[in-house]
Amino acid sequence: MTNTVSGFSKLSKEEKINWVAKEYFSNPSEAISLIKRYWNADEKLQQLHDEFIENTLTNFYLPLGVAPNFIINGKKYTIPMAIEESSVVAAASKSAKFWSTRGGFKTTVLNTEKIGQVHFIYTGDTLKLEQFFLAIKEKCIAATEGITKNMQKRGGGILDIELKNKTHLIDNYYQLHTTFETKDSMGANFINSCLEQFAKTLKEEALLNETFSEEEKNIQIVMSILSNYVPNCIVRAEVSCKVSELAEKKIENPQDFAEKFVRAVQIAEVEPFRAVTHNKGIMNGVDAVVLATGNDFRAVEAGIHAYAARNGQYSSLSHAKIENEVFSFWMEIPLALGTVGGLTSLHPLVKFCLEMLEKPNAKELMQIVAVAGLAQNFAALRSLTTTGIQEGHMKMHLNNIINQFEATIEERVLVTNFFKHNIVSHAAVVDFIENLRK
Ligand code: MEV
């Protein structure tokens, strides 16, 4: 058992690395050397990354790829994707190209409302609380003036505050349920600052309120925090074309393909085990763009999965139909994203990605991200319902195994040629390489 370490955060970076290396590695100097190989030679750039979090030792690389040929509402995009999973970028690119000759992707932002809540305990008469809330609502808003000034200049701010009675769930539990418009910022800091101010005003005004008993005056604030569930911050992405236009090399019979595709989506609509994997495929695209553009993929993940379960059962985010010989495939997802603030102006590669996307505003980014998700879902379902998923996956996997074995150029050629005509499995590739080396 290792002892707990105290004052770790106060150690220098060098001391932290030495501590970790000595504590956990049989060969500390090798561990230290690995850590340092990932440092950036540009000290200023390294320092910038060091300061994003605490106790930074080094950088953790993820590949940044691009998927070109996306047409969204008639405009061409090359979409940046940061992701470790092989075949995701290839799949996105294939979908982009496929739909680029079939009308492209169409998107609409349906709404952009964000949510935050002050959770509190009030023990007493609900009617009195309701009257008190109505009397102090404007004061609550006025007290946030210093926080909301800049946001208001950009056209955003607090939309409304509602008192919600949740005593049927937990004794004496109420909320100030607040809605916000945060324009091009994700708005987490703005929302949380407003909420903490509402909580302060609520508590202070309750103490001064003469209609309250001593117990009623003593409101207990439990917490004030934004919600990552944003069911009124929705973007819609869709593709459609005549069924006959779906024909291509791998889709010989477009009618059969379209029917099977719609069936596959229906299965994800009614069967949670399939829905989770189906939606995971969507998130392959969504997360990769969210990450590349410096947004919070954990928030996006949490919000989207909650939305997928909004009707009481986890279900597919996307839908498909054939109507009047037209195939349509679409999804609506909640996305609270920012193109200003946070990492967007700090991380040089995030700035690069946003510039490549021609500096989108938050609404445009919502549309791009949703398209990446739908494209990914289309590619997955197309493979699943035609050749099977492993054909494409194993090709990329083969490359990873070759790299793992640090194959020479000659070995690489031999392995690749052999597995063009043979089934790829981890064991088969390992056997083949080991035989080569005998
Ligand atoms: C793999 O990362 C994603 C898929 O499993 C998605 C799906 O099954 O729809 C291929």
Side-chain angles (χ1 to χ4, degrees), residues 85 88 274 277-282 284 377 380-381 384 389 393:
E85 185 177 331
V88 167
R274 173 57 201 149
T277 317
H278 176 98
N279 290 347
K280 187 274 183 188
I282 293 173
N284 278 345
N377 194 208
L381 290 174
L384 286 167
I389 205 75
H393 270 194

Side-chain angles (χ1 to χ4, degrees), residues 102-119:
R102 293 165 176 85
F105 291 81
K106 306 270 183 322
T107 55
T108 338
V109 172
L110 301 183
N111 37 37
T112 57
E113 182 190 275
K114 314 278 169 64
I115 292 167
Q117 297 168 320
V118 177
H119 305 269

Side-chain angles (χ1 to χ4, degrees), residues 120-125 128-129 172 174 203 206-207 209-220:
F120 66 94
I121 301 295
Y122 162 83
T123 312
D125 182 348
K128 277 207 253 171
L129 179 68
N172 308 319
Y174 297 84
K203 183 134 186 83
L207 284 172
N209 184 24
E210 282 168 3
T211 71
F212 280 168
S213 67
E214 282 314 303
E215 195 176 31
E216 287 166 339
K217 277 184 179 172
N218 198 13
I219 283 179
Q220 186 204 358

Side-chain angles (χ1 to χ4, degrees), residues 149-168:
K149 215 153 100 198
N150 276 341
M151 187 60 84
Q152 277 174 350
K153 271 193 212 146
R154 293 198 271 127
I158 299 158
L159 299 178
D160 196 16
I161 318 178
E162 273 177 88
L163 172 69
K164 292 214 171 174
N165 183 341
K166 296 281 172 176
T167 53
H168 57 292

Side-chain angles (χ1 to χ4, degrees), residues 297-336:
F297 64 91
R298 287 85 56 208
V300 165
E301 280 275 345
I304 290 184
H305 293 300
Y307 189 74
R310 70 193 178 285
N311 297 323
Q313 175 176 301
Y314 191 91
S315 176
S316 169
L317 292 160
S318 63
H319 308 281
K321 66 175 182 192
I322 304 168
E323 222 170 67
N324 304 325
E325 290 165 36
V326 172
F327 167 82
S328 313
F329 179 47
W330 72 97
M331 74 172 181
E332 287 176 9
I333 52 168
L335 275 175

